[in-house]
Amino acid sequence: DELTYGIEPSNYAFGDLGGVTNFDTRPSTMRKGVSLAYSNTNRSYRNRVMATYNTGLMDNGWAFMVSGSRRWAEEGIIEGTFYDAYAYYLGVEKKFNEKHTLNFTSFGAPTHRSTGSPNTQEVVDMMGIYYNGYWGWQDGEKRNERVKKTFEPINMLTHHWNINNKSKLTTTISYQFGEESSSRLDWYNAYNPSPLYYRNLPSQANNKASWLNGTASQLDWSSLYKFNQGISDGYSAFWLGSDVNKDKTYSAYTNFQTELTPNIDVVLAASYQKTKSELFRRVEDLLGGGF
């Protein structure tokens, strides 16, 4: 792989303020064999397991590599947060001869996690730095209103052409699809149920004792269900919705490199990208209401 910082020149892409990272995903360029790993942490997730197997380049010109991992936590260091993320990688390579190699790569990371709330100094002084106002008890379990889901896998096909010992051409086509969503409570013609709403804070509502014993400091899911079920028309005054970003991206890229002299290299590159995005709100849970 190649890593450049800032707008330093790169052999594979135009520079960017965030730098450029290029990975060679051919199994033949990576370590052959089996790799197993386990790690433990006390941050956003608690456990991680990883497994990788690479055949290396075999006598028939094929090479295969598979890798998978999972990171998870029933609850992270922030109260009421969970983390559950998987990742996979598949690499299939065929070396036809010394000049031509074809490589298919597929990878993705389906992630499902909840988040913590930003807190004012008033809340931190009462509840500490790990307090999270986004969750409340429901049926004996902690339920968080702010849940992020992401799965946007990428599939790529790359052709490597070693024209001669001084020149090479690399061409890639790729397709990425999937969606990213973030949930939150919403309501119509009703009160703001968040403990962090300024009118619900002790400085406004004079309910410090209820905050300290946990009554007013967390979401009351049962009251939201009861409110919706008590509406005669059957609609939901409270519901859980998600802001969704759904993408489809088609890309093509070609890179030609040649050595003119021992001190002069020339790089020519071209790229094309087409993205179709849909941004919308989706109802996830009517919380006991009918519509």
Side-chain angles (χ1 to χ4, degrees):
D1 63 275
E2 179 194 72
L3 175 64
T4 62
Y5 297 94
I7 56 173
E8 290 181 358
S10 167
N11 287 334
Y12 297 96
F14 292 106
D16 197 313
L17 291 177
V20 172
T21 303
N22 177 73
F23 290 100
D24 188 341
T25 60
R26 288 175 291 180
S28 63
T29 64
M30 303 183 198
R31 187 176 65 178
K32 178 182 176 181
V34 177
S35 174
L36 302 173
Y38 170 79
S39 57
N40 181 273
T41 178
N42 67 344
R43 309 308 295 177
S44 59
Y45 62 90
R46 301 292 186 180
N47 306 280
R48 182 182 70 170
V49 292
M50 299 179 66
T52 302
Y53 173 65
N54 185 4
T55 65
L57 189 63
M58 298 182 288
D59 293 339
N60 58 7
W62 287 92
F64 300 91
M65 182 174 176
V66 293
S67 181
S69 69
R70 185 190 180 196
R71 296 180 295 179
W72 76 96
E74 294 294 329
E75 185 174 55
I77 194 171
I78 303 297
E79 294 178 337
T81 61
F82 68 87
Y83 196 105
D84 196 13
Y86 294 83
Y88 69 87
Y89 164 84
L90 170 66
V92 180
E93 177 184 357
K94 173 61 176 177
K95 184 176 182 179
F96 296 96
N97 49 51
E98 294 303 318
K99 288 184 177 292
H100 296 282
T101 300
L102 199 61
N103 180 43
F104 173 76
T105 303
S106 178
F107 61 91
T111 302
H112 185 206
R113 64 182 179 89
S114 56
T115 64
S117 60
N119 302 318
T120 61
Q121 191 64 51
E122 175 186 0
V123 172
V124 173
D125 290 342
M126 284 189 302
M127 309 300 293
I129 61 174
Y130 299 126
Y131 165 76
N132 179 13
Y134 287 157
W135 68 270
W137 292 101
Q138 181 179 353
D139 298 330
E141 296 183 0
K142 293 180 179 180
R143 182 179 183 183
N144 194 312
E145 62 154 311
R146 305 293 179 105
V147 176
K148 291 184 178 292
K149 297 180 180 179
T150 305
F151 184 39
E152 297 181 303
I154 299 175
N155 299 291
M156 302 188 301
L157 186 65
T158 302
H159 176 243
H160 298 264
W161 179 14
N162 296 318
I163 301 172
N164 52 49
N165 60 353
K166 293 184 178 182
S167 303
K168 64 179 181 178
L169 178 70
T170 305
T171 303
T172 298
I173 57 174
S174 68
Y175 173 56
Q176 181 177 13
F177 64 96
E179 68 175 44
E180 180 181 25
S181 66
S182 300
S183 70
R184 64 181 178 90
L185 278 173
D186 208 346
W187 55 91
Y188 171 74
N189 198 23
Y191 61 92
N192 188 330
S194 172
L196 298 170
Y197 181 50
Y198 78 98
R199 290 185 176 178
N200 297 331
L201 294 178
S203 58
Q204 298 291 320
N206 193 26
N207 59 350
K208 185 173 182 179
S210 297
W211 264 78
L212 294 176
N213 65 25
T215 305
S217 60
Q218 305 303 149
L219 282 173
D220 188 351
W221 288 100
S222 61
S223 69
L224 303 183
Y225 278 84
K226 289 178 182 178
F227 193 101
N228 284 342
Q229 292 167 351
I231 298 176
S232 59
D233 291 341
Y235 75 91
S236 287
F238 299 98
W239 65 91
L240 193 68
S242 287
D243 296 319
V244 183
N245 184 4
K246 190 174 184 179
D247 292 332
K248 293 180 180 179
T249 301
Y250 305 86
S251 301
Y253 173 78
T254 186
N255 180 293
F256 174 75
Q257 299 181 30
T258 187
E259 178 186 313
L260 293 183
T261 71
N263 297 321
I264 299 177
D265 290 340
V266 173
V267 178
L268 302 175
S271 64
Y272 169 82
Q273 180 172 294
K274 178 182 179 182
T275 300
K276 178 182 179 182
S277 292
E278 300 177 51
L279 294 91
F280 55 92
R281 172 73 58 80
R282 180 169 62 207
V283 175
E284 304 287 359
D285 192 338
L286 290 171
L287 304 180
F291 61 92

